[in-house]
């Protein structure tokens, strides 16, 4: 099940069959850019939307600290033990490997004991704020596919902002605020992701959910990507078709999960009490043992391979596109404007290949042979039109799969897989119609939901 075939040639990472947690198989629909099929015209290439596998993106980033000399140990200093403020003879010394806590230790292999971590200097200059920016840069647009998880080795900071950039660090936007007291720290009402909805999913919130405490998991902070996906794909992300439909049609939503850089702004260390203990300032510092960022190169659905070479990520573009994100057509392939591939129709999407420039062909009939009409191919190749009844996707709520291409839904349901209550979409569910069991008993009024029907864009 979890065999993902990695062709690792030197610094190249590649996916062929993509089977990765936490989206087993489902994301894997888009793991091939083209395939050979047979039609009346003989063997031809059929092109499909495709994307690289989701992977651990911390292997490909550069980290920068501000202020640059904020790491502890130069000069050596002592600090108080985690959770024991009266044992203050621990040492940080940058020149002794066993006592050093350099930034790389935020990303090394965890699970060992004792764990390794980055640590800042202590709050010697109190009341001047102890603030640190940790900037993670990919020099490439990437799409986040799982929660960002930061594990603090000390207490979690009292105040922190996670920021993102989409333009290689030129401009920054907040992603989420974290505080023990949101109102006091940021003049924001505390919220949790669970308070959001499909329509407010892009709202930037301040959360107190991860405030300081010494309970289980109290060292961890999340930025909740999966909870946000779930507003579209359902609780266990079972209906990715619906999420894909929204990502396809709503640029703002797609951009929300896309970054080139992340910045963790540590604004106030864990104090844990109302007052800072000025006699023991060596109690206060930041320490991070692990940062998890999973995602994939953004290749606009024109590549399954993303190469890491010379410390740089680049999509290996197909469909005669080019550029670091496959964001334009190759020379001599500008017969129509570039456009990104599309996730729809599920499961193979639409490649939107770049086609030869008119001047470079000369003969239009030859043009047709080189570039077969994809929609006519779909009809002549029943295998790939299998949309609503395959190992991954099934019509839900009593819908039946018609000709393998669309679900016929009971009257009360809609959506590509009949996954949505019709009244929910119309915002008219009464108190007794929204919850109960689906009305399987009334199949007389079957409604055709077309494949593209789910793509009604949200208005943000
Ligand atoms: C951290 O970055 C922000 C901008 O994102 C900047 O305003 C602030 O001064 C920086 N703080 C430090 C300590 O460098
Ligand atoms: C792109 O163009 C080359 C010729 O330069 C052709 O062989 C190839 O099949 C084309 N691929 C796609 C996906 O359009
Ligand atoms: C492709 O084929 C479909 C169905 O055969 C037809 O409706 C459509 O007009 C064709 N498109 C082009 C660009 O030839």
């Amino acid at each position: 099940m979890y065999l993902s075939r990695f062709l690792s040639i030197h610094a190249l990472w590649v996916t062929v069959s993509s089977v990765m947690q936490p989206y087993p198989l489902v994301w894997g629909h888009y793991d091939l850019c083209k395939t050979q099929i047979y039609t009346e015209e003989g063997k031809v290439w059929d092109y499909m939307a495709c994307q690289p596998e989701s992977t651990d993106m911390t292997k490909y980033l550069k980290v920068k600290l501000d202020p640059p000399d904020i790491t502890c140990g130069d000069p050596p200093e002592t600090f108080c033990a985690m959770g024991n403020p009266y044992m203050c003879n621990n040492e940080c010394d940058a020149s002794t490997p066993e006592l050093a806590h350099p930034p790389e230790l935020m990303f090394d292999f965890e699970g060992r004991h004792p764990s390794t971590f980055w640590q800042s200097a202590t709050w010697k200059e109190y009341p001047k704020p102890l603030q640190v920016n940790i900037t993670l840069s990919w020099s490439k647009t990437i799409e986040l596919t799982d929660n960002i998880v930061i594990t603090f080795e000390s207490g979690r900071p009292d105040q922190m902002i996670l920021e993102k950039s989409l333009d290689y660090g030129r401009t920054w936007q907040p992603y989420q605020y974290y505080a023990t007291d949101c109102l006091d720290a940021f003049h924001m009402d505390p919220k949790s992701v669970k308070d959001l909805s499909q329509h407010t999913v892009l709202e930037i919130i301040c959360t107190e959910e991860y405030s300081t405490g010494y309970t289980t998991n109290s060292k961890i902070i999340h930025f909740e990507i999966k909870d946000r996906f779930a507003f579209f794909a359902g609780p266990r992300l079972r209906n990715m078709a619906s999420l894909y439909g929204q990502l396809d049609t709503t640029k703002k939503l797609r951009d929300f999960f896309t970054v080139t850089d992340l910045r963790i702004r540590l604004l106030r260390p864990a104090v844990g009490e109302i007052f800072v203990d000025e006699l023991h300032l060596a109690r206060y510092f930041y320490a991070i043992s692990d940062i998890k960022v999973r995602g994939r190169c953004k290749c606009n659905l024109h590549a399954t391979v993303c190469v890491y070479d010379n410390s740089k990520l680049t999509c290996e573009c197909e469909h005669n596109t080019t550029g670091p994100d496959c964001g334009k057509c190759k020379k001599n392939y500008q017969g129509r404007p570039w456009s990104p591939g599309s996730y729809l129709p599920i499961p193979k999407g639409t490649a939107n290949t770049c086609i030869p420039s008119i001047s470079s062909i000369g003969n239009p009939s030859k043009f047709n042979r080189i570039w077969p009409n994809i929609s006519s191919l779909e009809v002549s190749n029943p295998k790939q039109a299998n949309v609503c009844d395959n190992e991954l996707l099934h019509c839900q709520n009593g819908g039946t799969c018609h000709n393998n291409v669309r679900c016929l839904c009971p009257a009360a349901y809609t959506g590509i897989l009949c996954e949505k209550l019709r009244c929910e979409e119309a915002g008219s569910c009464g108190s007794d119609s929204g919850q109960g069991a689906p009305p399987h008993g009334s199949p007389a009024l079957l409604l055709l939901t077309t494949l593209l029907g789910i793509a009604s864009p949200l208005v943000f």
Side-chain angles (χ1 to χ4, degrees):
M1 188 63 180
Y2 305 121
L3 300 174
S4 63
R5 207 154 23 110
F6 267 80
L7 309 177
S8 33
I9 310 163
H10 191 46
L12 167 76
W13 57 270
V14 177
T15 122
V16 177
S17 76
S18 76
V19 189
M20 295 285 289
Q21 288 264 310
Y23 309 112
L25 292 164
V26 185
W27 287 100
H29 281 314
Y30 302 97
D31 57 3
L32 271 181
C33 293
K34 63 179 178 190
T35 180
Q36 269 192 322
I37 58 166
Y38 293 90
T39 67
E40 301 92 68
E41 304 193 30
K43 222 168 162 189
V44 296
W45 284 108
D46 181 24
Y47 298 103
M48 292 166 281
C50 51
Q51 63 186 3
E53 189 170 23
S54 162
T55 186
D56 171 6
M57 295 310 290
T58 60
K59 293 185 232 162
Y60 311 109
L61 59 76
K62 284 197 186 64
V63 59
K64 182 169 156 275
L65 297 189
D66 277 306
D69 59 354
I70 194 67
T71 299
C72 68
D74 184 18
E77 66 174 319
T78 56
F79 60 93
C80 306
M82 321 287 174
N84 187 348
Y86 302 103
M87 247 185 68
C88 297
N89 51 4
N90 287 337
E91 216 182 330
C92 177
D93 179 354
S95 60
T96 310
E98 308 84 74
L99 300 176
H101 295 284
E104 304 87 88
L105 298 184
M106 287 187 258
F107 309 103
D108 61 337
F109 165 72
E110 282 307 322
R112 76 182 94 196
H113 193 80
S115 62
T116 58
F117 51 92
W118 164 80
Q119 186 174 314
S120 76
T122 61
W123 202 357
K124 296 182 287 280
E125 292 173 42
Y126 176 86
K128 189 178 161 235
L130 177 63
Q131 298 190 341
V132 183
N133 284 350
I134 301 171
T135 305
L136 315 178
S137 305
W138 283 273
S139 304
K140 167 82 188 78
T141 36
I142 63 167
E143 295 166 332
L144 302 173
T145 55
D146 201 347
N147 292 0
I148 298 170
V149 185
I150 305 169
T151 308
F152 288 88
E153 188 60 24
S154 59
R156 292 179 293 202
D158 277 352
Q159 295 174 15
M160 161 184 151
I161 310 177
L162 182 66
E163 293 183 332
K164 64 174 274 196
S165 172
L166 251 173
D167 55 9
Y168 309 97
R170 274 188 288 279
T171 61
W172 293 89
Q173 297 88 43
Y175 225 175
Q176 192 145 300
Y177 294 82
Y178 300 83
T180 39
D181 185 337
C182 284
L183 210 51
D184 179 58
F186 302 115
H187 310 290
M188 293 169 81
D189 285 323
K191 268 197 186 168
S192 124
V193 171
K194 291 170 190 72
D195 301 328
L196 299 177
S197 70
Q198 273 199 6
H199 298 280
T200 57
V201 66
L202 304 185
E203 193 182 311
I204 306 303
I205 58 168
C206 178
T207 177
E208 295 177 356
E209 221 170 312
Y210 309 99
S211 48
T212 323
Y214 292 96
T215 54
T216 339
N217 284 337
S218 71
K219 295 175 163 187
I220 294 176
I221 274 179
H222 282 254
F223 179 71
E224 306 86 346
I225 299 280
K226 287 203 292 189
D227 288 342
R228 286 173 170 88
F229 282 169
F231 291 125
F232 303 97
R236 285 164 54 221
L237 305 187
R238 296 187 59 157
N239 186 2
M240 292 303 280
S242 161
L243 172 64
Y244 283 143
Q246 287 301 346
L247 288 172
D248 241 24
T249 51
T250 317
K251 182 176 185 305
K252 275 190 181 167
L253 185 66
R254 217 161 50 226
D255 284 351
F256 184 83
F257 299 109
T258 306
V259 306
T260 56
D261 305 74
L262 289 170
R263 178 174 283 165
I264 302 161
R265 293 182 60 188
L266 304 169
L267 298 175
R268 184 183 161 91
V271 171
E273 293 146 19
I274 299 177
F275 299 107
V276 173
D277 176 2
E278 293 189 47
L279 297 177
H280 299 97
L281 289 173
R283 288 172 61 177
Y284 308 116
F285 52 87
Y286 304 107
I288 294 179
S289 63
D290 193 38
I291 297 180
K292 284 194 170 49
V293 183
R294 283 192 77 82
R296 62 165 58 92
C297 288
K298 175 186 168 90
C299 303
N300 284 300
L301 298 178
H302 288 309
T304 45
V305 178
C306 193
V307 186
Y308 190 63
D309 197 13
N310 274 329
S311 314
K312 219 169 140 261
L313 287 167
T314 319
C315 301
E316 290 227 312
C317 302
E318 307 245 11
H319 306 154
N320 284 312
T321 60
T322 186
D325 305 345
C326 310
K328 54 186 187 187
C329 290
K330 266 187 182 164
K331 195 163 168 262
N332 297 332
Y333 286 88
Q334 285 152 354
R336 64 176 174 208
W338 174 88
S339 82
S342 161
Y343 283 115
L344 301 173
I346 307 282
K348 76 181 198 67
T350 309
N352 291 332
T353 59
C354 289
I355 61 174
S357 309
I358 302 303
S359 60
S360 67
I361 330 158
N363 176 354
S365 72
K366 183 170 166 236
F367 173 94
N368 280 339
R369 258 203 344 273
I370 303 173
W371 301 99
N373 181 334
I374 304 283
S375 53
S376 60
L377 287 181
E378 259 178 285
V379 178
S380 64
N381 181 16
K383 184 178 141 275
Q384 55 181 254
N386 182 354
V387 169
C388 55
D389 191 16
N390 56 48
E391 63 193 292
L392 302 166
L393 301 172
H394 305 279
C395 304
Q396 299 168 18
N397 296 313
T400 53
C401 184
H402 178 71
N403 283 350
N404 278 340
V405 295
R406 61 187 61 170
C407 294
L408 302 176
C409 301
Y413 289 91
T414 181
I416 196 170
L417 298 171
C418 312
E419 77 281 6
K420 272 190 276 199
L421 274 169
R422 191 165 285 279
C423 66
E424 224 169 58
E425 199 170 61
S428 63
C429 295
S431 52
D432 51 347
S433 64
Q435 321 296 335
H440 288 293
S442 57
L445 231 187
L446 291 179
L447 283 156
L448 275 183
T449 56
T450 65
L451 281 176
L452 292 168
I454 62 155
S456 56
L458 280 182
V459 183
F460 289 103

